[in-house]
Amino acid sequence: MLESELHDLSDDADYAASQQQGSASVMLRSDSAKQSSPREGAEIVFLKDNVAIHPTQFASERISGRLKLIKQSSSLSMTWIPYKVHSSEARLSDKDRNLYIIRAVPFTDIRSIRRHNPAFGWQYVIVVLSSGLAHPPLYFYSGGVKEFLATIKQHVLLVRSEEDANVFLVNDFQNTLQRTLSSLEMPRAVPLTCGPSNTSVDESILIENQERADNGANDGRFSVNQFHGKPRHKVDPARDLSIQVLEKFSLVTRFARETTSQLFGENQSNGFSPIDRRTHIQTNLDHPKKSSNVEENTSDESPVALDSQEFDNLSLVWGKPRQPPLGSEEWITFMDSEGRVTDSEALRKRVFYGGLDHKLRNEVWGLLLGYYPYESTYAEREFLKSVKKSEYVNIKNQWQSISSAQAKRFTKFRERKGLIEKDVVRTDRSLAFYEGDDNPNVNVLRDILLTYSFYNFDLGYCQGMSDLLSPILFVMDDESEAFWCFVALMERLGPNFNRDQNGMHSQLFALSKLVELLDSPLHNYFKQRDCLNYFFCFRWILIQFKREFEYEKTMRLWEVLWTHYPSEHLHLYVCVAILKRYRGKIIGEEMDFDTLLKFINELSGHINLDATLRDAEALCICAGENGAARIPPGTPPSLPVEDGSFYAQQEQDEIL
C-alpha cells in the first residue's frame, strides 16, 4: 500500500486537538475501571458518559447511555449500554430501550465510522458493520468524538476515506478508493417479477434483467407502456439500483440479531397507551370461523400457498370488496360548478376503494397530496399553478446559475449533483417514458431532484427519492407540477431519508407493535428467531412498496395510501397483511432472518394488491384505537409537527 493512501489522522484537526488535551481522559487504567471490565484480562481504554441515541424524532425520547472501547489481547471492541431510569420517568420501557444495546462489537466486524459535525446541535457518529448494518447514530452530548476516534486509531488501522473526509475506514488494507462507503452498494439479486429461486446471488444478478423482461406481467387490463406507445419488453441496460445502499442496510448479521433479540420483549407495554381489547381482537383474528362463500383469486400471483382461510372470514366481515377505478363521469359528481370538491371525505373513500382512472390522476393527485386545496376552484388552481411555476423557476435558477468555477468550491453541490445524475439513469429505464439515450424525461427527473435539493437543503438528496418522483413525473407530465407534488409527498415521507434513520426506526417500531397486537403467533415466532427488528420490511416502507408491484399497481396503491382512509398509516397495515397471509409458510419452514429476507424480496411481483388492501382494511378496523395507540405520534407519513422541521440535526429545547 502506498504511504499516501493511509491518510494518517495526525493531519486531522480533531485528532490534533485530542493529542493536545492528552490521553488521560480516554485511557482509564484505574482499579475501578478494571473491575468494570466485561471479561478477565479486558481493559477499558475509552469511556464516555452521556452518549445518546434517538429512537424517534422526538427529543424527549432520547436514550442516554455509556460508550466504552474495550481492549482484550490484541482485539478492540465497542459497547454502548443505556442507563437505567425510573419507570415513571421513561416514555419508552426498558424492553424498548434494550433494543439499542451494543454488546461488545469487535472492530474486525466494523467497516467504517462516519462523523457528523452539524452547524447546530451535537456531533454524532454512525458505525457501519461489515455486513452493511448501521447502528443508530450515537450523539456525543458532552463532546468526545475526537477522543473516540483518536483512541480507536491507537489500536486499529483507521483510514480516512478519499471520497468523504468524514468517513473513517476500519482495517482498510485494500485500495481506499474501492473500500469507501460506496462499497455498500449491493446489486439487488431478487428479480422483480419472478418467484423463489435457488439461484445464487451472483447468478441471479446476471440473469435478472432477462427474467424481468421475460416474466413481466400486467393485471390483464393494460400496461404502463401502453400510455406512451406500444407495449415493450426491453431489458434495462442500467438496472435500477437507486436504493442499493439503503437495501444493504437492511441486512443484519448474526451479531446484530443477538443485540436486538430483546426487542419488544415478553410482556412489554407499548409505552403509549394500554391495550384493553387485545384478547378479544386476537381471538377473532387467530381463530376465525370457516367461510365457504368467499373466494380469493391469488393462485396466479402468489409463488407459495397462502394462509387465506383466516383472511377469508376476516375480509368478509371487515374488508369491503374493491370497486372499479373512479372515472371522469363520476368524478364530476364530486365537484360543484366551479370545481370545488363538495365532500372530500366521500371522494377519499371512493378513491380508497377503487383508485383512479389513469386519465384523472393528473388532476386528482394534486388534491390527494395536498398541493391543491379541496375547496379550491378551477380558476384558483390555475392561478396557483402559474404562481408555483414562477417560484419553481426561481429555485431552479439557483443551481443553474452556479458556474463551473464556483462548483469547484461547492463540494455539497457537486456531491449531490453527481449522485442524482448517477441515480436518474438507473430509474425505471425499462419504462417507455424514461427509456433510451438522451431521454428528455430523464433530464427533467434530474432537474427536479436538483431543484428539490436546493428547496430543502437540510435534507438534500438521498438515494430512493428518484423512485418516489418517477411515477409523479410520469403522471403529471409537467416539470413544475411534478416538483410541487413531490414536495408535498416529501413533507410526509422526508423523515424516511434522514441520515439518522429516525423516520424508519419509528415505523419499524410501530410495525412490530401492530404485529404483536394483530398476530401474536407470528410475533412470538419472530421473537424466537430474533427477527423483531423487522429490517426485512425496510424496503417496503422506505419507498412505499415501489419495487413490490408493477408500475400501474404501484400508482394505484399510492393513491389509495394518500387518501389516509381509514388510517394515515395504512402502509403499516399493508405490511402486517402481507406477513400475516404468509405466516404459515414462514413458521412452517422455520425461516431464520436470512431466509426470511430472501423470501420477502422474492415476493416482488407476486403480491395480490386488491386482496392485500382488503386485508389491510380489515386489520385496521379490527385494531381500531388500540392499533392507533401503538403508532408513536409523528410517525411518517404524519405531517410535520409544530414548526414542521423533521430535518434539523437536533431539536433545541430544555430537555437537551
Side-chain angles (χ1 to χ4, degrees):
M1 178 184 298
L2 296 176
E3 184 176 350
S4 60
E5 292 180 347
L6 291 178
H7 288 274
D8 191 283
L9 283 178
S10 59
D11 65 350
D12 180 79
D14 285 347
Y15 177 73
S18 70
Q19 296 305 296
Q20 293 176 3
Q21 293 179 7
S23 59
S25 63
V26 299
M27 301 297 291
L28 305 178
R29 303 177 183 274
S30 65
D31 292 337
S32 60
K34 290 182 179 180
Q35 290 174 0
S36 63
S37 297
R39 295 182 298 273
E40 184 177 354
E43 176 186 13
I44 299 176
V45 296
F46 175 89
L47 184 150
K48 191 66 182 178
D49 283 304
N50 203 22
V51 177
I53 63 97
H54 287 261
T56 70
Q57 67 267 29
F58 297 103
S60 59
E61 294 183 0
R62 181 181 80 188
I63 303 176
S64 297
R66 174 173 294 172
L67 178 67
K68 296 179 183 179
L69 294 177
I70 301 171
K71 180 73 177 296
Q72 185 175 34
S73 299
S74 59
S75 175
L76 185 70
S77 299
M78 180 184 76
T79 68
W80 180 86
I81 307 296
Y83 299 137
K84 292 185 179 296
V85 296
H86 297 295
S87 58
S88 60
E89 300 174 355
R91 293 191 61 179
L92 297 177
S93 68
D94 287 339
K95 298 289 186 180
D96 296 340
R97 297 161 66 84
N98 287 342
L99 160 66
Y100 302 99
I101 290 177
I102 301 176
R103 300 183 188 276
V105 184
F107 272 77
T108 53
D109 290 343
I110 295 177
R111 169 172 287 167
S112 62
I113 300 172
R114 183 178 183 90
R115 175 187 60 189
H116 292 263
N117 298 303
F120 301 97
W122 288 264
Q123 285 188 326
Y124 63 95
V125 299
I126 296 178
V127 177
V128 181
L129 300 180
S130 300
S131 65
L133 170 70
H135 283 296
L138 296 168
Y139 288 84
F140 286 67
Y141 284 95
S142 300
V145 171
K146 52 195 173 187
E147 294 92 342
F148 175 67
L149 293 172
T151 304
I152 295 172
K153 183 180 182 293
Q154 295 175 18
H155 300 279
V156 301
L157 176 64
L158 201 61
V159 180
R160 183 194 294 274
S161 167
E162 292 184 358
E163 293 186 355
D164 190 332
N166 285 313
V167 173
F168 299 92
L169 307 176
V170 178
N171 295 323
D172 183 71
F173 296 106
Q174 299 180 18
N175 189 308
T176 54
L177 289 175
Q178 300 175 359
R179 293 292 304 276
T180 58
L181 283 183
S182 62
S183 66
L184 289 176
E185 293 190 354
M186 180 187 70
R188 178 167 53 85
V190 181
L192 182 62
T193 58
C194 66
S197 171
N198 294 325
T199 307
S200 68
V201 171
D202 292 337
E203 290 173 338
S204 61
I205 293 171
L206 297 176
I207 66 175
E208 175 184 0
N209 288 335
Q210 187 60 46
E211 289 180 331
R212 290 173 64 180
D214 293 343
N215 296 319
N218 55 51
D219 59 5
R221 288 170 292 186
F222 61 94
S223 68
V224 175
N225 287 332
Q226 290 173 328
F227 298 137
H228 293 271
K230 62 183 181 179
R232 302 170 186 258
H233 294 284
K234 182 173 181 179
V235 175
D236 183 355
R239 299 170 56 246
D240 191 354
L241 307 176
S242 62
I243 62 167
Q244 289 175 1
V245 171
L246 293 171
E247 284 181 346
K248 185 69 187 297
F249 273 78
S250 71
L251 301 179
V252 179
T253 61
R254 180 180 302 278
F255 165 77
R257 294 195 293 275
E258 290 174 355
T259 63
T260 57
S261 62
Q262 301 182 42
L263 169 65
F264 314 138
E266 206 168 2
N267 300 321
Q268 172 194 358
S269 65
N270 61 28
F272 302 102
S273 75
I275 302 301
D276 300 323
R277 296 184 295 164
R278 165 69 182 275
T279 304
H280 173 71
I281 292 176
Q282 193 59 57
T283 300
N284 288 339
L285 292 180
D286 292 333
H287 303 284
K289 297 179 181 179
K290 293 183 179 180
S291 174
S292 59
N293 56 358
V294 178
E295 181 177 354
E296 292 284 356
N297 181 21
T298 57
S299 59
D300 292 337
E301 297 196 18
S302 174
V304 298
L306 305 177
D307 297 336
S308 58
Q309 184 178 4
E310 176 178 348
F311 269 128
D312 285 347
N313 186 54
L314 184 64
S315 295
L316 178 66
V317 175
W318 297 108
K320 297 180 181 179
R322 308 300 298 168
Q323 301 174 14
L326 174 66
S328 299
E329 294 183 2
E330 187 181 0
W331 161 236
I332 295 175
T333 65
F334 286 96
M335 297 183 294
D336 62 18
S337 60
E338 294 184 325
R340 301 181 186 88
V341 175
T342 55
D343 190 339
S344 61
E345 183 177 357
L347 173 62
R348 290 187 294 108
K349 183 176 180 180
R350 176 64 180 87
V351 174
F352 172 81
Y353 282 112
L356 295 163
D357 185 282
H358 184 71
K359 296 178 182 178
L360 284 181
R361 285 177 174 145
N362 181 280
E363 186 174 0
V364 182
W365 273 23
L367 294 168
L368 294 176
L369 287 169
Y371 171 43
Y372 296 124
Y374 285 107
E375 62 274 13
S376 61
T377 64
Y378 292 125
E380 289 169 342
R381 290 197 285 271
E382 286 300 317
F383 177 74
L384 178 63
K385 184 185 299 185
S386 63
V387 171
K388 285 296 187 178
K389 185 172 184 178
S390 297
E391 186 177 349
Y392 172 74
V393 171
N394 290 334
I395 302 171
K396 184 176 179 180
N397 285 337
Q398 293 178 12
W399 64 264
Q400 285 186 323
S401 63
I402 296 176
S403 65
S404 57
Q406 183 183 2
K408 293 179 180 179
R409 298 167 177 81
F410 198 166
T411 302
K412 184 64 69 177
F413 172 72
R414 293 198 317 272
E415 291 176 348
R416 291 180 177 178
K417 186 172 184 291
L419 185 57
I420 290 171
E421 289 177 342
K422 183 173 69 172
D423 281 355
V424 295
V425 297
R426 298 168 170 175
T427 302
D428 296 326
R429 295 304 298 278
S430 59
L431 187 70
F433 189 74
Y434 292 111
E435 73 177 355
D437 297 332
D438 299 322
N439 186 309
N441 295 318
V442 175
N443 295 332
V444 173
L445 197 70
R446 176 203 62 200
D447 290 355
I448 293 175
L449 292 171
L450 269 169
T451 305
Y452 182 78
S453 75
F454 270 70
Y455 173 81
N456 189 346
F457 202 83
D458 286 343
L459 184 61
Y461 174 78
C462 302
Q463 291 179 312
M465 289 183 181
S466 62
D467 283 275
L468 295 177
L469 174 60
S470 170
I472 293 177
L473 177 58
F474 174 78
V475 166
M476 306 308 294
D477 204 15
D478 177 88
E479 185 171 346
S480 174
E481 290 287 279
F483 172 80
W484 290 111
C485 286
F486 179 68
V487 167
L489 178 62
M490 292 304 293
E491 282 297 302
R492 297 180 180 274
L493 298 184
N496 285 7
F497 300 93
N498 283 353
R499 283 185 174 180
D500 59 13
Q501 298 183 7
N502 277 346
M504 290 301 300
H505 282 296
S506 178
Q507 291 171 88
L508 293 173
F509 177 96
L511 176 59
S512 71
K513 293 296 188 179
L514 291 177
V515 173
E516 182 182 17
L517 171 68
L518 295 165
D519 196 332
S520 60
L522 188 60
H523 171 82
N524 292 334
Y525 177 79
F526 286 156
K527 178 180 178 181
Q528 294 169 5
R529 293 287 178 168
D530 296 339
C531 294
L532 284 176
N533 47 48
Y534 285 84
F535 283 160
F536 45 84
C537 297
F538 193 94
R539 186 175 73 187
W540 290 356
I541 294 174
L542 179 73
I543 53 174
Q544 301 289 280
F545 305 92
K546 167 70 159 39
R547 292 175 180 256
E548 316 314 316
F549 297 97
E550 300 158 10
Y551 210 74
E552 158 59 23
K553 291 184 179 179
T554 296
M555 293 187 290
R556 188 171 303 281
L557 171 62
W558 283 9
E559 60 204 15
V560 166
L561 296 179
W562 295 343
T563 66
H564 287 182
Y565 180 92
S567 167
E568 66 179 346
H569 297 104
L570 185 70
H571 69 296
L572 297 178
Y573 291 96
V574 171
C575 293
V576 179
I578 298 172
L579 293 173
K580 191 175 182 66
R581 185 165 284 273
Y582 290 98
R583 180 224 290 162
K585 183 174 180 66
I586 292 172
I587 298 177
E589 296 188 4
E590 299 182 351
M591 295 183 185
D592 58 13
F593 182 88
D594 297 327
T595 307
L596 182 59
L597 179 63
K598 181 176 183 293
F599 171 74
I600 293 297
N601 284 338
E602 288 177 339
L603 288 178
S604 294
H606 296 286
I607 302 172
N608 186 310
L609 177 59
D610 286 347
T612 300
L613 288 174
R614 187 172 178 179
D615 296 344
E617 180 193 8
L619 291 168
C620 184
I621 294 173
C622 285
E625 295 180 357
N626 291 327
R630 293 193 168 225
I631 302 175
T635 297
S638 298
L639 285 172
V641 293
E642 298 178 356
D643 65 351
S645 178
F646 266 130
Y647 315 111
Q649 293 289 347
Q650 193 59 56
E651 296 281 347
Q652 303 288 338
D653 58 27
E654 300 178 345
I655 299 176
L656 301 182

